[in-house]
Amino acid sequence: MAKAFDRNDAHSHVSGTRKLDWRKRMSDNIAYALLVYTALQIFVTVGALKAGSTSLLPYLALIVLVAAIIPACRMFEARWLQISDESAADPEFRSAFRRDQMMLWTLAIGLPFALTGLFKLIASFA
C-alpha cells in the first residue's frame, strides 16, 4: 500500500523526504505570490484612496494590475508545466527555478507599488 501511495503522490512523506518536483514548487510559488500581490494591491490602492485621491486613477491602477499579473503568472507556470516527469526532479533546474522565482516575487511585490506610484504621479500633473 505504501509503495502505491509513493508512486501516486509527488510529495510523498512515506520515506521521510519530499520528492523534488520543480513544477509543483513553481505552482506553489505562483499561488502564494498571487495572494501577496492581491493583499499588497488592496493595501496600496486603499492607501491611495485615503490619501485624498479623487480621481479614478487608483481604480484604473487596480484594473491594469489585475490584467498584468495574470498573463505573467501563466507564462511562468506554462514554462514549468512543459517539463517532463523525469526532468521535474532534476537538480540541474535549480538555477532556472531560482531565477524565475526571483522574477515572480519581484513582480508580485514591486508591481503594486510601481504602478500605483506611476498613477499617483500622473494624477499629480492632472
Side-chain angles (χ1 to χ4, degrees):
M1 175 85 165
K3 287 184 180 182
F5 179 74
D6 193 34
R7 275 190 305 247
N8 293 328
D9 186 7
H11 293 288
S12 176
H13 294 283
V14 172
S15 63
T17 62
R18 237 174 44 183
K19 184 177 176 184
L20 178 64
D21 187 339
W22 297 117
R23 301 168 298 188
K24 173 71 171 133
R25 287 186 179 191
M26 184 52 70
S27 288
D28 289 348
N29 270 267
I30 289 169
Y32 293 130
L34 283 171
L35 289 172
V36 168
Y37 168 84
T38 302
L40 281 174
Q41 182 54 41
I42 291 168
F43 172 76
V44 171
T45 302
V46 168
L49 291 172
K50 283 184 179 178
S53 177
T54 58
S55 73
L56 294 176
L57 286 175
Y59 297 106
L60 180 60
L62 185 61
I63 293 167
V64 169
L65 286 170
V66 169
I69 197 69
I70 293 170
C73 287
R74 292 291 301 149
M75 178 192 72
F76 283 113
E77 190 167 34
R79 183 181 346 199
W80 288 94
L81 289 179
Q82 294 175 4
I83 297 174
S84 69
D85 288 343
E86 297 80 31
S87 297
D90 188 349
E92 295 286 323
F93 280 102
R94 180 176 299 283
S95 63
F97 175 80
R98 292 290 182 218
R99 180 197 64 229
D100 282 359
Q101 185 183 38
M102 291 301 295
M103 288 179 11
L104 172 68
W105 282 100
T106 299
L107 280 173
I109 294 170
L111 198 57
F113 292 105
L115 282 180
T116 301
L118 177 66
F119 282 116
K120 285 175 106 175
L121 182 66
I122 292 169
S124 71
F125 289 117

